[in-house]
Amino acid sequence: TTSGAEMQVYHPKTGKPLEGMTVTVRSFQHEEVQSVVKRQQARAAMKVGRDGKPLDPTKEETERNAVELYDALIEGWAGFALNGDVMACNHENKREIVTGKKWDWLLLDVLNFASTGANYFRPDDAGGDLAETPRLAAHKAGKGDKDAG
């Protein structure tokens, strides 16, 4: 089972759906994504100058943070290929997408999708109202929350 939601991939220039290309994206509320964000915030908080002011991250730190974040946000994908070869959804290929220029247009789409809570709800078969996904319902019930119980 997956804990993310499926995002349709659209052509960056035409805006038309790229048939068969989807990304399974975790929300920013997902435990793994939260862990990455907290770790990055802690690293940033420790990086201060002699005057006590925060220092800007280096290019390498910015790239590492991006790779870590997208590695957590992207749970899987379908239909991705590079030079005719199918791209498996793994850390190395996620890194290629994050650091390369060929896929940079996709990154903002993933961020926007992960930031939109409505993407993690599904229509209720009975009445058409929004119903929580089983994972979100379990989280709210305390089953997925470490502080519950």
Side-chain angles (χ1 to χ4, degrees), residues 2-9 22-30 33 69-77 80 106-116 119-120:
T2 63
S3 56
E6 191 172 281
M7 178 189 87
Q8 172 64 54
V9 178
T22 59
V23 180
T24 303
V25 181
R26 294 180 180 121
S27 81
F28 276 98
Q29 305 309 311
H30 187 275
V33 177
L69 180 61
Y70 283 100
D71 204 17
L73 283 172
I74 298 172
E75 184 174 325
W77 62 53
F80 279 66
L106 181 64
L107 302 179
L108 186 57
D109 290 347
V110 169
L111 280 181
N112 286 335
F113 191 90
S115 301
T116 305
N119 291 326
Y120 300 92

PDB file of all heavy atoms in Angstrom, residues 2-9 22-30 33 69-77 80 106-116 119-120:
ATOM      1  N   THR A   2       0.278   2.336  -0.447  1.00  0.00           N
ATOM      2  CA  THR A   2       1.006   3.595  -0.482  1.00  0.00           C
ATOM      3  C   THR A   2       0.410   4.550   0.534  1.00  0.00           C
ATOM      4  O   THR A   2      -0.733   4.398   0.962  1.00  0.00           O
ATOM      5  CB  THR A   2       0.928   4.242  -1.878  1.00  0.00           C
ATOM      6  OG1 THR A   2      -0.425   4.554  -2.158  1.00  0.00           O
ATOM      7  CG2 THR A   2       1.495   3.333  -2.952  1.00  0.00           C
ATOM      8  N   SER A   3       1.183   5.523   0.918  1.00  0.00           N
ATOM      9  CA  SER A   3       0.685   6.534   1.846  1.00  0.00           C
ATOM     10  C   SER A   3       0.588   7.885   1.156  1.00  0.00           C
ATOM     11  O   SER A   3       0.158   8.849   1.752  1.00  0.00           O
ATOM     12  CB  SER A   3       1.609   6.625   3.060  1.00  0.00           C
ATOM     13  OG  SER A   3       2.927   6.897   2.646  1.00  0.00           O
ATOM     14  N   GLY A   4       0.991   7.937  -0.111  1.00  0.00           N
ATOM     15  CA  GLY A   4       0.916   9.175  -0.858  1.00  0.00           C
ATOM     16  C   GLY A   4      -0.307   9.198  -1.752  1.00  0.00           C
ATOM     17  O   GLY A   4      -1.131   8.288  -1.745  1.00  0.00           O
ATOM     18  N   ALA A   5      -0.414  10.256  -2.531  1.00  0.00           N
ATOM     19  CA  ALA A   5      -1.510  10.407  -3.484  1.00  0.00           C
ATOM     20  C   ALA A   5      -0.908  10.530  -4.878  1.00  0.00           C
ATOM     21  O   ALA A   5       0.191  11.059  -5.051  1.00  0.00           O
ATOM     22  CB  ALA A   5      -2.343  11.644  -3.149  1.00  0.00           C
ATOM     23  N   GLU A   6      -1.641  10.040  -5.863  1.00  0.00           N
ATOM     24  CA  GLU A   6      -1.143  10.043  -7.232  1.00  0.00           C
ATOM     25  C   GLU A   6      -1.338  11.400  -7.891  1.00  0.00           C
ATOM     26  O   GLU A   6      -2.433  11.943  -7.908  1.00  0.00           O
ATOM     27  CB  GLU A   6      -1.852   8.964  -8.040  1.00  0.00           C
ATOM     28  CG  GLU A   6      -1.221   8.704  -9.384  1.00  0.00           C
ATOM     29  CD  GLU A   6      -1.832   7.506 -10.067  1.00  0.00           C
ATOM     30  OE1 GLU A   6      -1.460   6.369  -9.707  1.00  0.00           O
ATOM     31  OE2 GLU A   6      -2.683   7.718 -10.952  1.00  0.00           O
ATOM     32  N   MET A   7      -0.251  11.924  -8.450  1.00  0.00           N
ATOM     33  CA  MET A   7      -0.273  13.195  -9.154  1.00  0.00           C
ATOM     34  C   MET A   7      -0.053  12.939 -10.640  1.00  0.00           C
ATOM     35  O   MET A   7       0.928  12.311 -11.030  1.00  0.00           O
ATOM     36  CB  MET A   7       0.864  14.092  -8.633  1.00  0.00           C
ATOM     37  CG  MET A   7       0.966  15.429  -9.339  1.00  0.00           C
ATOM     38  SD  MET A   7       2.465  16.358  -8.881  1.00  0.00           S
ATOM     39  CE  MET A   7       3.637  15.692 -10.087  1.00  0.00           C
ATOM     40  N   GLN A   8      -0.953  13.412 -11.454  1.00  0.00           N
ATOM     41  CA  GLN A   8      -0.780  13.334 -12.902  1.00  0.00           C
ATOM     42  C   GLN A   8       0.324  14.310 -13.303  1.00  0.00           C
ATOM     43  O   GLN A   8       0.374  15.431 -12.814  1.00  0.00           O
ATOM     44  CB  GLN A   8      -2.088  13.707 -13.622  1.00  0.00           C
ATOM     45  CG  GLN A   8      -1.964  13.835 -15.125  1.00  0.00           C
ATOM     46  CD  GLN A   8      -1.592  12.534 -15.821  1.00  0.00           C
ATOM     47  OE1 GLN A   8      -2.263  11.531 -15.631  1.00  0.00           O
ATOM     48  NE2 GLN A   8      -0.533  12.555 -16.597  1.00  0.00           N
ATOM     49  N   VAL A   9       1.206  13.894 -14.205  1.00  0.00           N
ATOM     50  CA  VAL A   9       2.264  14.768 -14.699  1.00  0.00           C
ATOM     51  C   VAL A   9       1.787  15.429 -15.983  1.00  0.00           C
ATOM     52  O   VAL A   9       1.206  14.774 -16.855  1.00  0.00           O
ATOM     53  CB  VAL A   9       3.570  13.973 -14.946  1.00  0.00           C
ATOM     54  CG1 VAL A   9       4.660  14.871 -15.513  1.00  0.00           C
ATOM     55  CG2 VAL A   9       4.043  13.319 -13.642  1.00  0.00           C
ATOM     56  N   THR A  22       2.830   9.428 -13.869  1.00  0.00           N
ATOM     57  CA  THR A  22       2.299   9.870 -12.586  1.00  0.00           C
ATOM     58  C   THR A  22       3.401   9.804 -11.536  1.00  0.00           C
ATOM     59  O   THR A  22       4.383   9.088 -11.697  1.00  0.00           O
ATOM     60  CB  THR A  22       1.127   8.978 -12.121  1.00  0.00           C
ATOM     61  OG1 THR A  22       1.586   7.635 -12.002  1.00  0.00           O
ATOM     62  CG2 THR A  22      -0.056   9.058 -13.084  1.00  0.00           C
ATOM     63  N   VAL A  23       3.213  10.582 -10.481  1.00  0.00           N
ATOM     64  CA  VAL A  23       4.114  10.559  -9.335  1.00  0.00           C
ATOM     65  C   VAL A  23       3.253  10.334  -8.098  1.00  0.00           C
ATOM     66  O   VAL A  23       2.227  11.000  -7.932  1.00  0.00           O
ATOM     67  CB  VAL A  23       4.900  11.882  -9.183  1.00  0.00           C
ATOM     68  CG1 VAL A  23       5.831  11.824  -7.982  1.00  0.00           C
ATOM     69  CG2 VAL A  23       5.674  12.205 -10.443  1.00  0.00           C
ATOM     70  N   THR A  24       3.644   9.403  -7.250  1.00  0.00           N
ATOM     71  CA  THR A  24       2.970   9.223  -5.969  1.00  0.00           C
ATOM     72  C   THR A  24       3.695  10.110  -4.970  1.00  0.00           C
ATOM     73  O   THR A  24       4.886   9.921  -4.698  1.00  0.00           O
ATOM     74  CB  THR A  24       2.993   7.753  -5.520  1.00  0.00           C
ATOM     75  OG1 THR A  24       2.392   6.960  -6.553  1.00  0.00           O
ATOM     76  CG2 THR A  24       2.210   7.565  -4.223  1.00  0.00           C
ATOM     77  N   VAL A  25       2.967  11.114  -4.456  1.00  0.00           N
ATOM     78  CA  VAL A  25       3.559  12.169  -3.632  1.00  0.00           C
ATOM     79  C   VAL A  25       3.018  12.082  -2.207  1.00  0.00           C
ATOM     80  O   VAL A  25       1.802  12.024  -1.999  1.00  0.00           O
ATOM     81  CB  VAL A  25       3.235  13.563  -4.228  1.00  0.00           C
ATOM     82  CG1 VAL A  25       3.875  14.672  -3.401  1.00  0.00           C
ATOM     83  CG2 VAL A  25       3.683  13.646  -5.679  1.00  0.00           C
ATOM     84  N   ARG A  26       3.924  12.089  -1.250  1.00  0.00           N
ATOM     85  CA  ARG A  26       3.530  12.152   0.163  1.00  0.00           C
ATOM     86  C   ARG A  26       3.255  13.613   0.526  1.00  0.00           C
ATOM     87  O   ARG A  26       3.889  14.516  -0.004  1.00  0.00           O
ATOM     88  CB  ARG A  26       4.647  11.625   1.057  1.00  0.00           C
ATOM     89  CG  ARG A  26       4.929  10.164   0.868  1.00  0.00           C
ATOM     90  CD  ARG A  26       6.049   9.727   1.803  1.00  0.00           C
ATOM     91  NE  ARG A  26       6.327   8.324   1.634  1.00  0.00           N
ATOM     92  CZ  ARG A  26       7.508   7.829   1.288  1.00  0.00           C
ATOM     93  NH1 ARG A  26       8.530   8.639   1.078  1.00  0.00           N
ATOM     94  NH2 ARG A  26       7.677   6.542   1.154  1.00  0.00           N
ATOM     95  N   SER A  27       2.364  13.823   1.458  1.00  0.00           N
ATOM     96  CA  SER A  27       2.070  15.186   1.895  1.00  0.00           C
ATOM     97  C   SER A  27       3.141  15.650   2.887  1.00  0.00           C
ATOM     98  O   SER A  27       3.913  14.850   3.420  1.00  0.00           O
ATOM     99  CB  SER A  27       0.696  15.252   2.562  1.00  0.00           C
ATOM    100  OG  SER A  27       0.764  14.817   3.899  1.00  0.00           O
ATOM    101  N   PHE A  28       3.151  16.931   3.146  1.00  0.00           N
ATOM    102  CA  PHE A  28       4.071  17.467   4.143  1.00  0.00           C
ATOM    103  C   PHE A  28       3.706  17.004   5.549  1.00  0.00           C
ATOM    104  O   PHE A  28       4.492  17.155   6.474  1.00  0.00           O
ATOM    105  CB  PHE A  28       4.121  18.996   4.071  1.00  0.00           C
ATOM    106  CG  PHE A  28       5.063  19.510   3.030  1.00  0.00           C
ATOM    107  CD1 PHE A  28       4.606  19.890   1.789  1.00  0.00           C
ATOM    108  CD2 PHE A  28       6.420  19.580   3.276  1.00  0.00           C
ATOM    109  CE1 PHE A  28       5.470  20.343   0.813  1.00  0.00           C
ATOM    110  CE2 PHE A  28       7.302  20.033   2.316  1.00  0.00           C
ATOM    111  CZ  PHE A  28       6.830  20.419   1.076  1.00  0.00           C
ATOM    112  N   GLN A  29       2.524  16.412   5.714  1.00  0.00           N
ATOM    113  CA  GLN A  29       2.111  15.885   7.013  1.00  0.00           C
ATOM    114  C   GLN A  29       2.621  14.466   7.243  1.00  0.00           C
ATOM    115  O   GLN A  29       2.535  13.949   8.342  1.00  0.00           O
ATOM    116  CB  GLN A  29       0.586  15.908   7.131  1.00  0.00           C
ATOM    117  CG  GLN A  29      -0.038  17.268   6.879  1.00  0.00           C
ATOM    118  CD  GLN A  29       0.625  18.366   7.700  1.00  0.00           C
ATOM    119  OE1 GLN A  29       0.814  18.229   8.891  1.00  0.00           O
ATOM    120  NE2 GLN A  29       1.001  19.449   7.042  1.00  0.00           N
ATOM    121  N   HIS A  30       3.147  13.833   6.220  1.00  0.00           N
ATOM    122  CA  HIS A  30       3.640  12.457   6.326  1.00  0.00           C
ATOM    123  C   HIS A  30       4.823  12.420   7.298  1.00  0.00           C
ATOM    124  O   HIS A  30       5.676  13.309   7.304  1.00  0.00           O
ATOM    125  CB  HIS A  30       4.067  11.960   4.939  1.00  0.00           C
ATOM    126  CG  HIS A  30       4.439  10.518   4.912  1.00  0.00           C
ATOM    127  ND1 HIS A  30       5.695  10.081   5.245  1.00  0.00           N
ATOM    128  CD2 HIS A  30       3.717   9.416   4.601  1.00  0.00           C
ATOM    129  CE1 HIS A  30       5.748   8.765   5.132  1.00  0.00           C
ATOM    130  NE2 HIS A  30       4.553   8.341   4.740  1.00  0.00           N
ATOM    131  N   VAL A  33       8.361  12.794   5.786  1.00  0.00           N
ATOM    132  CA  VAL A  33       8.612  14.152   5.294  1.00  0.00           C
ATOM    133  C   VAL A  33       8.831  15.091   6.482  1.00  0.00           C
ATOM    134  O   VAL A  33       9.760  15.908   6.474  1.00  0.00           O
ATOM    135  CB  VAL A  33       7.460  14.644   4.394  1.00  0.00           C
ATOM    136  CG1 VAL A  33       7.681  16.087   3.948  1.00  0.00           C
ATOM    137  CG2 VAL A  33       7.300  13.723   3.183  1.00  0.00           C
ATOM    138  N   LEU A  69      14.574  16.255   0.724  1.00  0.00           N
ATOM    139  CA  LEU A  69      13.146  16.567   0.755  1.00  0.00           C
ATOM    140  C   LEU A  69      12.397  15.811  -0.337  1.00  0.00           C
ATOM    141  O   LEU A  69      11.381  15.162  -0.074  1.00  0.00           O
ATOM    142  CB  LEU A  69      12.909  18.070   0.617  1.00  0.00           C
ATOM    143  CG  LEU A  69      11.447  18.500   0.637  1.00  0.00           C
ATOM    144  CD1 LEU A  69      10.777  18.114   1.958  1.00  0.00           C
ATOM    145  CD2 LEU A  69      11.341  19.997   0.409  1.00  0.00           C
ATOM    146  N   TYR A  70      12.901  15.873  -1.570  1.00  0.00           N
ATOM    147  CA  TYR A  70      12.210  15.181  -2.662  1.00  0.00           C
ATOM    148  C   TYR A  70      12.281  13.673  -2.515  1.00  0.00           C
ATOM    149  O   TYR A  70      11.361  12.968  -2.915  1.00  0.00           O
ATOM    150  CB  TYR A  70      12.735  15.632  -4.028  1.00  0.00           C
ATOM    151  CG  TYR A  70      12.196  16.983  -4.407  1.00  0.00           C
ATOM    152  CD1 TYR A  70      12.948  18.135  -4.243  1.00  0.00           C
ATOM    153  CD2 TYR A  70      10.899  17.113  -4.905  1.00  0.00           C
ATOM    154  CE1 TYR A  70      12.441  19.372  -4.574  1.00  0.00           C
ATOM    155  CE2 TYR A  70      10.384  18.348  -5.240  1.00  0.00           C
ATOM    156  CZ  TYR A  70      11.155  19.474  -5.077  1.00  0.00           C
ATOM    157  OH  TYR A  70      10.636  20.704  -5.396  1.00  0.00           O
ATOM    158  N   ASP A  71      13.351  13.168  -1.914  1.00  0.00           N
ATOM    159  CA  ASP A  71      13.448  11.731  -1.673  1.00  0.00           C
ATOM    160  C   ASP A  71      12.318  11.292  -0.749  1.00  0.00           C
ATOM    161  O   ASP A  71      11.736  10.221  -0.927  1.00  0.00           O
ATOM    162  CB  ASP A  71      14.814  11.395  -1.070  1.00  0.00           C
ATOM    163  CG  ASP A  71      15.242   9.963  -1.301  1.00  0.00           C
ATOM    164  OD1 ASP A  71      14.670   9.280  -2.176  1.00  0.00           O
ATOM    165  OD2 ASP A  71      16.166   9.511  -0.606  1.00  0.00           O
ATOM    166  N   ALA A  72      11.977  12.123   0.221  1.00  0.00           N
ATOM    167  CA  ALA A  72      10.879  11.807   1.146  1.00  0.00           C
ATOM    168  C   ALA A  72       9.516  12.075   0.511  1.00  0.00           C
ATOM    169  O   ALA A  72       8.569  11.300   0.714  1.00  0.00           O
ATOM    170  CB  ALA A  72      11.024  12.620   2.433  1.00  0.00           C
ATOM    171  N   LEU A  73       9.388  13.164  -0.251  1.00  0.00           N
ATOM    172  CA  LEU A  73       8.096  13.511  -0.840  1.00  0.00           C
ATOM    173  C   LEU A  73       7.666  12.525  -1.930  1.00  0.00           C
ATOM    174  O   LEU A  73       6.490  12.188  -2.032  1.00  0.00           O
ATOM    175  CB  LEU A  73       8.143  14.915  -1.457  1.00  0.00           C
ATOM    176  CG  LEU A  73       8.073  16.094  -0.501  1.00  0.00           C
ATOM    177  CD1 LEU A  73       8.333  17.390  -1.256  1.00  0.00           C
ATOM    178  CD2 LEU A  73       6.737  16.143   0.215  1.00  0.00           C
ATOM    179  N   ILE A  74       8.608  12.075  -2.751  1.00  0.00           N
ATOM    180  CA  ILE A  74       8.265  11.192  -3.870  1.00  0.00           C
ATOM    181  C   ILE A  74       8.325   9.743  -3.404  1.00  0.00           C
ATOM    182  O   ILE A  74       9.389   9.201  -3.140  1.00  0.00           O
ATOM    183  CB  ILE A  74       9.216  11.422  -5.068  1.00  0.00           C
ATOM    184  CG1 ILE A  74       9.073  12.860  -5.578  1.00  0.00           C
ATOM    185  CG2 ILE A  74       8.926  10.406  -6.171  1.00  0.00           C
ATOM    186  CD1 ILE A  74      10.100  13.248  -6.633  1.00  0.00           C
ATOM    187  N   GLU A  75       7.153   9.139  -3.305  1.00  0.00           N
ATOM    188  CA  GLU A  75       7.056   7.746  -2.876  1.00  0.00           C
ATOM    189  C   GLU A  75       7.264   6.788  -4.051  1.00  0.00           C
ATOM    190  O   GLU A  75       7.786   5.693  -3.884  1.00  0.00           O
ATOM    191  CB  GLU A  75       5.695   7.504  -2.233  1.00  0.00           C
ATOM    192  CG  GLU A  75       5.536   6.122  -1.667  1.00  0.00           C
ATOM    193  CD  GLU A  75       4.241   5.982  -0.907  1.00  0.00           C
ATOM    194  OE1 GLU A  75       3.808   6.952  -0.255  1.00  0.00           O
ATOM    195  OE2 GLU A  75       3.663   4.896  -0.967  1.00  0.00           O
ATOM    196  N   GLY A  76       6.840   7.215  -5.220  1.00  0.00           N
ATOM    197  CA  GLY A  76       6.982   6.364  -6.390  1.00  0.00           C
ATOM    198  C   GLY A  76       6.585   7.125  -7.635  1.00  0.00           C
ATOM    199  O   GLY A  76       6.141   8.268  -7.567  1.00  0.00           O
ATOM    200  N   TRP A  77       6.780   6.493  -8.795  1.00  0.00           N
ATOM    201  CA  TRP A  77       6.330   7.087 -10.042  1.00  0.00           C
ATOM    202  C   TRP A  77       6.109   6.009 -11.074  1.00  0.00           C
ATOM    203  O   TRP A  77       6.533   4.864 -10.893  1.00  0.00           O
ATOM    204  CB  TRP A  77       7.279   8.164 -10.553  1.00  0.00           C
ATOM    205  CG  TRP A  77       8.690   7.745 -10.890  1.00  0.00           C
ATOM    206  CD1 TRP A  77       9.082   6.727 -11.718  1.00  0.00           C
ATOM    207  CD2 TRP A  77       9.888   8.352 -10.428  1.00  0.00           C
ATOM    208  NE1 TRP A  77      10.447   6.674 -11.801  1.00  0.00           N
ATOM    209  CE2 TRP A  77      10.979   7.663 -11.014  1.00  0.00           C
ATOM    210  CE3 TRP A  77      10.170   9.424  -9.595  1.00  0.00           C
ATOM    211  CZ2 TRP A  77      12.298   8.006 -10.775  1.00  0.00           C
ATOM    212  CZ3 TRP A  77      11.489   9.753  -9.367  1.00  0.00           C
ATOM    213  CH2 TRP A  77      12.532   9.052  -9.945  1.00  0.00           C
ATOM    214  N   PHE A  80       8.177   7.080 -16.234  1.00  0.00           N
ATOM    215  CA  PHE A  80       9.353   7.928 -16.399  1.00  0.00           C
ATOM    216  C   PHE A  80      10.415   7.184 -17.198  1.00  0.00           C
ATOM    217  O   PHE A  80      10.710   6.021 -16.942  1.00  0.00           O
ATOM    218  CB  PHE A  80       9.940   8.323 -15.040  1.00  0.00           C
ATOM    219  CG  PHE A  80       9.226   9.461 -14.392  1.00  0.00           C
ATOM    220  CD1 PHE A  80       7.912   9.329 -13.966  1.00  0.00           C
ATOM    221  CD2 PHE A  80       9.849  10.680 -14.202  1.00  0.00           C
ATOM    222  CE1 PHE A  80       7.241  10.372 -13.369  1.00  0.00           C
ATOM    223  CE2 PHE A  80       9.192  11.731 -13.609  1.00  0.00           C
ATOM    224  CZ  PHE A  80       7.879  11.582 -13.191  1.00  0.00           C
ATOM    225  N   LEU A 106       9.345  19.767 -13.057  1.00  0.00           N
ATOM    226  CA  LEU A 106       8.489  18.861 -12.296  1.00  0.00           C
ATOM    227  C   LEU A 106       8.521  19.149 -10.793  1.00  0.00           C
ATOM    228  O   LEU A 106       7.552  18.899 -10.084  1.00  0.00           O
ATOM    229  CB  LEU A 106       8.937  17.414 -12.556  1.00  0.00           C
ATOM    230  CG  LEU A 106       8.157  16.306 -11.874  1.00  0.00           C
ATOM    231  CD1 LEU A 106       6.719  16.272 -12.369  1.00  0.00           C
ATOM    232  CD2 LEU A 106       8.847  14.977 -12.134  1.00  0.00           C
ATOM    233  N   LEU A 107       9.613  19.697 -10.308  1.00  0.00           N
ATOM    234  CA  LEU A 107       9.802  19.871  -8.868  1.00  0.00           C
ATOM    235  C   LEU A 107       8.761  20.787  -8.237  1.00  0.00           C
ATOM    236  O   LEU A 107       8.227  20.496  -7.166  1.00  0.00           O
ATOM    237  CB  LEU A 107      11.216  20.368  -8.583  1.00  0.00           C
ATOM    238  CG  LEU A 107      12.331  19.458  -9.095  1.00  0.00           C
ATOM    239  CD1 LEU A 107      13.695  20.048  -8.775  1.00  0.00           C
ATOM    240  CD2 LEU A 107      12.187  18.053  -8.539  1.00  0.00           C
ATOM    241  N   LEU A 108       8.457  21.891  -8.900  1.00  0.00           N
ATOM    242  CA  LEU A 108       7.448  22.814  -8.359  1.00  0.00           C
ATOM    243  C   LEU A 108       6.074  22.150  -8.329  1.00  0.00           C
ATOM    244  O   LEU A 108       5.310  22.333  -7.381  1.00  0.00           O
ATOM    245  CB  LEU A 108       7.410  24.112  -9.166  1.00  0.00           C
ATOM    246  CG  LEU A 108       6.498  25.200  -8.619  1.00  0.00           C
ATOM    247  CD1 LEU A 108       6.877  25.561  -7.184  1.00  0.00           C
ATOM    248  CD2 LEU A 108       6.563  26.430  -9.504  1.00  0.00           C
ATOM    249  N   ASP A 109       5.774  21.350  -9.350  1.00  0.00           N
ATOM    250  CA  ASP A 109       4.502  20.616  -9.365  1.00  0.00           C
ATOM    251  C   ASP A 109       4.397  19.692  -8.152  1.00  0.00           C
ATOM    252  O   ASP A 109       3.349  19.610  -7.510  1.00  0.00           O
ATOM    253  CB  ASP A 109       4.351  19.794 -10.645  1.00  0.00           C
ATOM    254  CG  ASP A 109       4.125  20.660 -11.882  1.00  0.00           C
ATOM    255  OD1 ASP A 109       3.842  21.860 -11.725  1.00  0.00           O
ATOM    256  OD2 ASP A 109       4.233  20.117 -12.991  1.00  0.00           O
ATOM    257  N   VAL A 110       5.486  18.988  -7.837  1.00  0.00           N
ATOM    258  CA  VAL A 110       5.489  18.075  -6.688  1.00  0.00           C
ATOM    259  C   VAL A 110       5.288  18.868  -5.396  1.00  0.00           C
ATOM    260  O   VAL A 110       4.478  18.486  -4.544  1.00  0.00           O
ATOM    261  CB  VAL A 110       6.785  17.241  -6.637  1.00  0.00           C
ATOM    262  CG1 VAL A 110       6.923  16.493  -5.320  1.00  0.00           C
ATOM    263  CG2 VAL A 110       6.831  16.260  -7.803  1.00  0.00           C
ATOM    264  N   LEU A 111       5.998  19.987  -5.242  1.00  0.00           N
ATOM    265  CA  LEU A 111       5.837  20.814  -4.036  1.00  0.00           C
ATOM    266  C   LEU A 111       4.415  21.321  -3.895  1.00  0.00           C
ATOM    267  O   LEU A 111       3.830  21.278  -2.806  1.00  0.00           O
ATOM    268  CB  LEU A 111       6.792  22.010  -4.062  1.00  0.00           C
ATOM    269  CG  LEU A 111       8.227  21.769  -3.655  1.00  0.00           C
ATOM    270  CD1 LEU A 111       9.011  23.071  -3.727  1.00  0.00           C
ATOM    271  CD2 LEU A 111       8.324  21.170  -2.274  1.00  0.00           C
ATOM    272  N   ASN A 112       3.855  21.834  -4.977  1.00  0.00           N
ATOM    273  CA  ASN A 112       2.483  22.344  -4.932  1.00  0.00           C
ATOM    274  C   ASN A 112       1.493  21.244  -4.587  1.00  0.00           C
ATOM    275  O   ASN A 112       0.575  21.449  -3.782  1.00  0.00           O
ATOM    276  CB  ASN A 112       2.104  22.997  -6.264  1.00  0.00           C
ATOM    277  CG  ASN A 112       2.768  24.335  -6.455  1.00  0.00           C
ATOM    278  OD1 ASN A 112       3.132  25.014  -5.503  1.00  0.00           O
ATOM    279  ND2 ASN A 112       2.949  24.726  -7.702  1.00  0.00           N
ATOM    280  N   PHE A 113       1.679  20.072  -5.183  1.00  0.00           N
ATOM    281  CA  PHE A 113       0.784  18.945  -4.914  1.00  0.00           C
ATOM    282  C   PHE A 113       0.871  18.535  -3.449  1.00  0.00           C
ATOM    283  O   PHE A 113      -0.157  18.351  -2.782  1.00  0.00           O
ATOM    284  CB  PHE A 113       1.149  17.773  -5.828  1.00  0.00           C
ATOM    285  CG  PHE A 113       0.137  16.660  -5.807  1.00  0.00           C
ATOM    286  CD1 PHE A 113      -0.927  16.659  -6.703  1.00  0.00           C
ATOM    287  CD2 PHE A 113       0.246  15.603  -4.909  1.00  0.00           C
ATOM    288  CE1 PHE A 113      -1.862  15.635  -6.694  1.00  0.00           C
ATOM    289  CE2 PHE A 113      -0.686  14.581  -4.894  1.00  0.00           C
ATOM    290  CZ  PHE A 113      -1.739  14.596  -5.787  1.00  0.00           C
ATOM    291  N   ALA A 114       2.093  18.415  -2.927  1.00  0.00           N
ATOM    292  CA  ALA A 114       2.291  17.993  -1.532  1.00  0.00           C
ATOM    293  C   ALA A 114       1.733  19.014  -0.544  1.00  0.00           C
ATOM    294  O   ALA A 114       1.341  18.655   0.566  1.00  0.00           O
ATOM    295  CB  ALA A 114       3.777  17.758  -1.260  1.00  0.00           C
ATOM    296  N   SER A 115       1.683  20.270  -0.965  1.00  0.00           N
ATOM    297  CA  SER A 115       1.207  21.346  -0.089  1.00  0.00           C
ATOM    298  C   SER A 115      -0.306  21.519  -0.104  1.00  0.00           C
ATOM    299  O   SER A 115      -0.845  22.286   0.687  1.00  0.00           O
ATOM    300  CB  SER A 115       1.848  22.673  -0.512  1.00  0.00           C
ATOM    301  OG  SER A 115       3.238  22.586  -0.432  1.00  0.00           O
ATOM    302  N   THR A 116      -0.984  20.826  -0.995  1.00  0.00           N
ATOM    303  CA  THR A 116      -2.429  20.971  -1.139  1.00  0.00           C
ATOM    304  C   THR A 116      -3.138  19.822  -0.442  1.00  0.00           C
ATOM    305  O   THR A 116      -3.171  18.695  -0.946  1.00  0.00           O
ATOM    306  CB  THR A 116      -2.815  21.026  -2.633  1.00  0.00           C
ATOM    307  OG1 THR A 116      -2.073  22.076  -3.255  1.00  0.00           O
ATOM    308  CG2 THR A 116      -4.298  21.262  -2.816  1.00  0.00           C
ATOM    309  N   ASN A 119      -5.543  17.109  -1.975  1.00  0.00           N
ATOM    310  CA  ASN A 119      -5.032  15.980  -2.758  1.00  0.00           C
ATOM    311  C   ASN A 119      -4.996  14.676  -1.966  1.00  0.00           C
ATOM    312  O   ASN A 119      -4.852  13.610  -2.546  1.00  0.00           O
ATOM    313  CB  ASN A 119      -3.632  16.285  -3.293  1.00  0.00           C
ATOM    314  CG  ASN A 119      -3.654  17.363  -4.339  1.00  0.00           C
ATOM    315  OD1 ASN A 119      -4.594  17.470  -5.115  1.00  0.00           O
ATOM    316  ND2 ASN A 119      -2.622  18.178  -4.360  1.00  0.00           N
ATOM    317  N   TYR A 120      -5.129  14.768  -0.670  1.00  0.00           N
ATOM    318  CA  TYR A 120      -5.037  13.584   0.181  1.00  0.00           C
ATOM    319  C   TYR A 120      -6.398  13.169   0.726  1.00  0.00           C
ATOM    320  O   TYR A 120      -6.495  12.434   1.681  1.00  0.00           O
ATOM    321  CB  TYR A 120      -3.997  13.827   1.286  1.00  0.00           C
ATOM    322  CG  TYR A 120      -2.667  14.096   0.627  1.00  0.00           C
ATOM    323  CD1 TYR A 120      -2.267  15.398   0.318  1.00  0.00           C
ATOM    324  CD2 TYR A 120      -1.881  13.050   0.202  1.00  0.00           C
ATOM    325  CE1 TYR A 120      -1.087  15.636  -0.363  1.00  0.00           C
ATOM    326  CE2 TYR A 120      -0.684  13.279  -0.475  1.00  0.00           C
ATOM    327  CZ  TYR A 120      -0.303  14.572  -0.756  1.00  0.00           C
ATOM    328  OH  TYR A 120       0.860  14.804  -1.443  1.00  0.00           O
TER     329      TYR A 120
END
